[in-house]
Amino acid sequence: NAGVTQTPKFRVLKTGQSMTLLCAQDMNHEYMYWYRQDPGMGLRLIHYSVGEGTTAKGEVPDGYNVSRLKKQNFLLGLESAAPSQTSVYFCASSRTGLETQYFGPGTRLLVL
Amino acid sequence: AQSVSQHNHHVILSEAASLELGCNYSYGGTVNLFWYVQYPGQHLQLLLKYFSGDPLVKGIKGFEAEFIKSKFSFNLRKPSVQWSDTAEYFCAVNAPLSGNTPLVFGKGTRLSVIA
C-alpha cells in the first residue's frame, strides 16, 4: 500500500516549456487535490477532483490544467511554464471531501 | 469565504518548553478542523482532527488541540516539546454543511526546537 505517490520528484524547466505531473493513489479515494507550497504562503489549492472524470478550480488555477481520467490518477499540466510557477507541488487524496487528506511526497519544480 | 489565520510565523523554543500555536478561522457555521505537520523535507501528515464531540482532541506524539467555538479557535498544544518536533505546522478547516468545500489551510507556523 503505497498511499499517494508523485512523479517526478524534481524537475527543471525553461520558461515556455510544458510538463505533466502525475499523482497516483491506491486507497480508492474519490477526492484528489493539487496544491502548491511557497514560502510564507502555506498551501494553496490549484485544482481538485471529486471523482473520476470531474475537476474543479481551486484558489490559484491560472496557468494549470488537470485531468482525472482514472479514479486513481490525477494529472497536473503546465502548458507554458513561467518562473512564477517555481514551487513545490503536493498532491493529496481523501475518501470524501470532509475527511483527512493524505499527501504525496511532493514535486519540486524550478522554472528558469 | 473561509479563511484560517495562524498568527505565529516562526516559534523558537527550548527542549521541554510548552508549546501553544494559535489558529483562528473565519467561518461561522459548523466546521471540521485539522492540524497537519510537515517535518523537514517530508510531506504533510495529520496530527489530529476535530469533527464533533469533546472539544479537547488528542493526537499523535503528545499533541492536543482545543476547539473553542466562541473564539473561532483551534489552538495546538504540547506540554513539553522535543527536538524532533521541529517542523512546520498547518491548521486547516472545512465546512461540512456548505457543500463540497475543500480544506482551507493557514499559512503555517514554523517551530524550531533548540537543545
Side-chain angles (χ1 to χ4, degrees):
Chain A
N1 191 343
V4 180
T5 57
Q6 292 183 232
T7 310
K9 288 185 171 54
F10 177 69
R11 184 75 183 267
V12 179
L13 287 180
K14 293 181 180 178
T15 297
Q17 285 186 318
S18 63
M19 78 163 294
T20 300
L21 282 67
L22 171 63
C23 175
Q25 53 96 2
D26 61 4
M27 296 175 282
N28 201 34
H29 285 169
E30 290 294 334
Y31 285 66
M32 296 187 75
Y33 313 83
W34 276 107
Y35 295 91
R36 59 178 290 173
Q37 184 180 31
D38 303 290
M41 301 296 290
L43 272 80
R44 292 182 292 170
L45 183 65
I46 304 171
H47 286 281
Y48 65 103
S49 168
V50 303
E52 182 178 318
T54 74
T55 63
K57 293 181 180 179
E59 180 186 354
V60 288
D62 294 342
Y64 305 95
N65 56 73
V66 288
S67 64
R68 182 102 180 266
L69 299 179
K70 293 183 179 180
K71 185 176 184 178
Q72 63 267 35
N73 296 337
F74 195 31
L75 278 64
L76 177 71
L78 286 73
E79 289 187 348
S80 179
S84 60
Q85 294 178 304
T86 292
S87 188
V88 181
Y89 292 86
F90 286 100
C91 176
S93 72
S94 61
R95 194 173 68 87
T96 72
L98 301 173
E99 296 186 22
T100 302
Q101 291 185 17
Y102 295 85
F103 284 80
T107 294
R108 189 172 294 274
L109 176 65
L110 176 61
V111 183
L112 301 175
Chain B
Q2 302 161 43
S3 66
V4 178
S5 297
Q6 292 182 244
H7 307 296
N8 306 105
H9 178 61
H10 188 193
V11 173
I12 303 172
L13 293 174
S14 298
E15 279 193 312
S18 64
L19 169 72
E20 181 159 3
L21 301 182
C23 172
N24 288 90
Y25 61 92
S26 64
Y27 187 70
T30 302
V31 291
N32 293 337
L33 296 153
F34 303 79
W35 275 99
Y36 284 85
V37 60
Q38 185 178 29
Y39 297 104
Q42 296 189 26
H43 60 283
L44 275 78
Q45 305 168 45
L46 182 70
L47 260 186
L48 49 79
K49 61 186 178 185
Y50 171 81
F51 285 2
S52 63
D54 188 343
L56 185 60
V57 180
K58 295 194 184 300
I60 60 171
K61 304 187 180 186
F63 285 91
E64 65 178 32
E66 185 175 12
F67 170 50
I68 303 179
K69 189 173 181 179
S70 61
K71 295 185 178 180
F72 299 91
S73 70
F74 190 55
N75 292 355
L76 181 70
R77 301 195 293 247
K78 185 171 184 179
S80 175
V81 296
Q82 301 172 315
W83 178 83
S84 58
D85 293 324
T86 293
E88 191 150 16
Y89 294 80
F90 294 92
C91 182
V93 61
N94 63 16
L97 300 182
S98 296
N100 292 322
T101 55
L103 269 184
V104 175
F105 283 84
K107 291 189 180 350
T109 296
R110 187 155 61 101
L111 172 65
S112 299
V113 180
I114 56 177

